[in-house]
Amino acid sequence: MSAYDDLMDFQRETEALAQVAGRLGWDQETVMPRGAAHQRGEEMAAMEGVLHARRSDPRIGDWLDRAEAADDVAAANLRLIRRMFDRTAKVPARLAAELARVTSLAQGQWAEARAAEDFAAFVPVLARVVDLRREEAQHLAQGGDAYDALLDDYEPGATAESLTAMFGALRPRLLALRDAALGSPHQPVPLTGTFGEGGQLAIATELATAFGYDFTRGRIDKAVHPFSSGSGADVRITTRTAPDDPFNCFYSTVHEVGHAAYEQAIDPAFALTPLGQGVSMGVHESQSRLYENQLGRSRAFTGWLHGRMTATFGDTGLEPDAFYGAVNRLHRGFIRTEADEVQYNLHVLLRFDLERALIDGTLAPAELEEAWNARFLTDFGYPVDRPSKGCLQDVHWSVGLFGYFPTYTLGNVYAGCLHAALRRDLPDLDAALTRGDTSPATGWLRERLQRWGGLRGPRATVAHATEQEPSEGPLLDYLEAKFAAIYRL
Amino acid sequence: MSAYDDLMDFQRETEALAQVAGRLGWDQETVMPRGAAHQRGEEMAAMEGVLHARRSDPRIGDWLDRAEAADDVAAANLRLIRRMFDRTAKVPARLAAELARVTSLAQGQWAEARAAEDFAAFVPVLARVVDLRREEAQHLAQGGDAYDALLDDYEPGATAESLTAMFGALRPRLLALRDAALGSPHQPVPLTGTFGEGGQLAIATELATAFGYDFTRGRIDKAVHPFSSGSGADVRITTRTAPDDPFNCFYSTVHEVGHAAYEQAIDPAFALTPLGQGVSMGVHESQSRLYENQLGRSRAFTGWLHGRMTATFGDTGLEPDAFYGAVNRLHRGFIRTEADEVQYNLHVLLRFDLERALIDGTLAPAELEEAWNARFLTDFGYPVDRPSKGCLQDVHWSVGLFGYFPTYTLGNVYAGCLHAALRRDLPDLDAALTRGDTSPATGWLRERLQRWGGLRGPRATVAHATEQEPSEGPLLDYLEAKFAAIYRL
């Protein structure tokens, strides 16, 4: 056995245990009896303890020192294992434990503060989380930029500087497009009516199949929040239904199928290795958003969906063109996760600017609500009337996820690039989408991007697929063309 | 922190991880996508590796040497932890690994041999399993009886000698009762008809509720084989349905509820400690069999079930007395798990005698089929016509479970003792059972037996509940009285 083989055997077991811990999370959100919550906490903590001990096992350092890469797959594995090992080594065990303890506490306090519409009650624990993450970032950055060090956990290689430039280019054109659309005399009509759960779930299953989700290596269950969980041969998704909002069920399903299909498509030879998962949050989100928006909300595909809805529920009261408008209409709102394709990124940009200020210390946690509400009024034109619709709407900061939000918009930017490239390569794509057949597009993505897992860095993964360096241009061009047509701008 | 506290903290994490591994097993049998089987094997192996390393951690020996018991709970914890630690230490790691490898292989070969009705194909791997378990037993017994050492894994304190005496007393009276019943001119009529899955599952849920299963800390799912899984706050059961055999669904559900209710009733202060689980296989089986048979198949309770079936499916064609007869009728058959209350133990006694002979070397694995068929003909009066109905019907021996079978009959014996004691204490029990109310009986069991978990040894647990030493007399008296009435003997 070479040092590389020993290291990979050890890593393989660690990855298998990480899958087990992930499945425990799936179980908790879908099938766990409610009385089991406390015991589950102990089970999760025990699994985290096992994983942390393995990830910081000193033998990894020895193996890494002696291992030699025989090919580019081995080189990528060694690079990613070293990256994780160094990250663990840089953060003092005391700080890691304190972060785990405080964020667990903070999540509960965030939920209570949100329910009570009481931002002040959340401030002390938020301040503690920010302090701890800043301290962690200093250990990780070793003299470099603290925010970049945090960002690196979710999007290796990305920097605040590059994102600031990209987002700076997005914001004015998105604002202009939003204003033009909402100011147009041609406003799409929303879908109205109530739609039974059985019919919604049947269509959700059809949509998952249409987008290539492999049910022999996955399953769909109901949960409060839609999510995708697992890698390799066991990738499960969840969905939810609301009687008056079938699009929420349909498009959250397609979104999660995008995440899950990526995991399912990765080369099986990479299973239970560092290459066997989506390479970054941004690239992951590019798949889910491309499936959901550029494909799922296209005129061609909504024509097919319109037919499925009519067959299931009877006349929707909307002709196919109007149905397409209803799927894509812009609307006033406060909540990021409910936002339309144009305004979604404005919600993210707001968070990106505020969280950088929290981490660099120029915004005090106590001032967050005021800063949020001011920026929201500037960008959206109407005031936030309560914290649950403002700075308490997302769980992320309570659990210490600083540097995560920008990956949502980066994912949209990557999706724009990938969409432009696949339209270039697949001129007849709409003919297939009209029949509910996504396979030309999803097959292109599988071959060009998904199968490669973590072999290349995030940006290189997208560049390899598109044969171009990623930029925000294609996303903006796509949005402007699409919504100019819908709103007759 | 005292040595005892350190030891219990470590043990608590190990128990939590064991719960996680157990839940992985539940997942595999209920919701796992079929394409995930191979990956799941790696996940299970990684969990087993973690658990084995913890159970043989040398710090346990140090803590045990220094720990002092402050009370009887602490004394019981130390006794059980020492027992597990010593057991692990006695078996060479090489042998433990080889046993895991060979039994995993053997289970697959058993399934293939059973499907092909080819006993000869199973002989080589069975011989290997027997050899390895005999070798293990010699390490464990350290000069004592090898079979007793294996039995001790499932029923601490039981010996082949004591079981042989008990089973020797059972066999002639069971054979005589069976012959008398089957020879009676008054034969109960079986239930006929087909019964929809929805109705069966609805009644199964009512039955679980009636027997005190706590759904806030458990759930029922469908699986190929009924089982109960988990301890403490998350104890799940499974059931199955066949259109022409609703009693299989109903009574396997009540059986599993007996196992699960035992786990759910254990003092929460014992959760995630060695006391926090049923004390032995025999005592566990006493609960499941008592729920299923002495309570669930009683005339009083079947009267209530008859009403629920009529309400759900319409007229069953059987009046309440005839329905009681149909629930309890003896029938010819080959399969242990399908046997009636009288003949079930004859199936177990056959296995007990054969497996002792395999372990003491007086029966060669190659001769097992012949020995099985000869004994079956003697005890049941008709020949076995193929291995899947004979010596290949059970999975147990393929996975090395020698010493497990007798706990089934020991459980029935214990159930007989417990039933006699609770009837003595609850003279009006039948009035409650007639209303579908099992709470006097299940409450008695909770207080007298279930809540104590592993605090006392198995036999002492039953003796504490009944205030008498256990013996086979009450079971025989109960069976003879019950079936004499049904068959008018």
Side-chain angles (χ1 to χ4, degrees), chain A residues 191 194-195 203 306-318 323:
Chain A
L191 179 73
T194 57
F195 304 86
I203 291 178
H306 177 266
R308 298 306 309 132
M309 277 203 72
T310 305
T312 305
F313 297 111
D315 187 5
T316 61
L318 298 169
F323 184 84

Side-chain angles (χ1 to χ4, degrees), chain A residues 23 27 35 39 43 216 236, chain B residues 23 27 35 43 216 233 236:
Chain A
R23 196 148 320 101
D27 185 279
Q39 179 174 316
E43 293 170 10
T216 69
R236 306 179 185 185
Chain B
R23 197 149 317 102
D27 185 279
E43 293 171 11
T216 69
R236 307 179 185 184

Side-chain angles (χ1 to χ4, degrees), chain B residues 76 79-80 262 266 270 274-279 452-457 461:
Chain B
R79 177 173 55 79
L80 291 173
Y262 182 13
I266 295 172
F270 298 167
L275 308 191
Q277 299 157 47
V279 66
W452 302 107
L455 186 61
R456 302 176 184 91
T461 294

Side-chain angles (χ1 to χ4, degrees), chain A residues 177-189 324-332 340 342-343 479-489:
Chain A
L177 178 58
R178 193 265 320 275
D179 291 345
L182 289 181
S184 164
H186 303 287
Q187 293 294 318
V189 174
Y324 172 60
V327 164
N328 285 288
R329 63 187 285 276
L330 273 63
H331 51 275
R332 279 171 64 110
D340 53 76
V342 174
Q343 297 183 91
L479 289 173
E480 286 168 350
K482 173 174 180 175
F483 288 91
I486 293 172
Y487 283 89
R488 303 188 205 167
L489 304 179

Side-chain angles (χ1 to χ4, degrees), chain A residues 336-355:
Chain A
R336 173 183 59 84
T337 57
E338 298 169 0
D340 53 76
E341 221 176 328
V342 174
Q343 297 183 91
Y344 184 90
N345 295 302
L346 296 172
H347 290 276
V348 175
L349 270 45
L350 177 159
R351 288 156 178 74
F352 174 64
D353 288 340
L354 294 178
E355 71 176 16

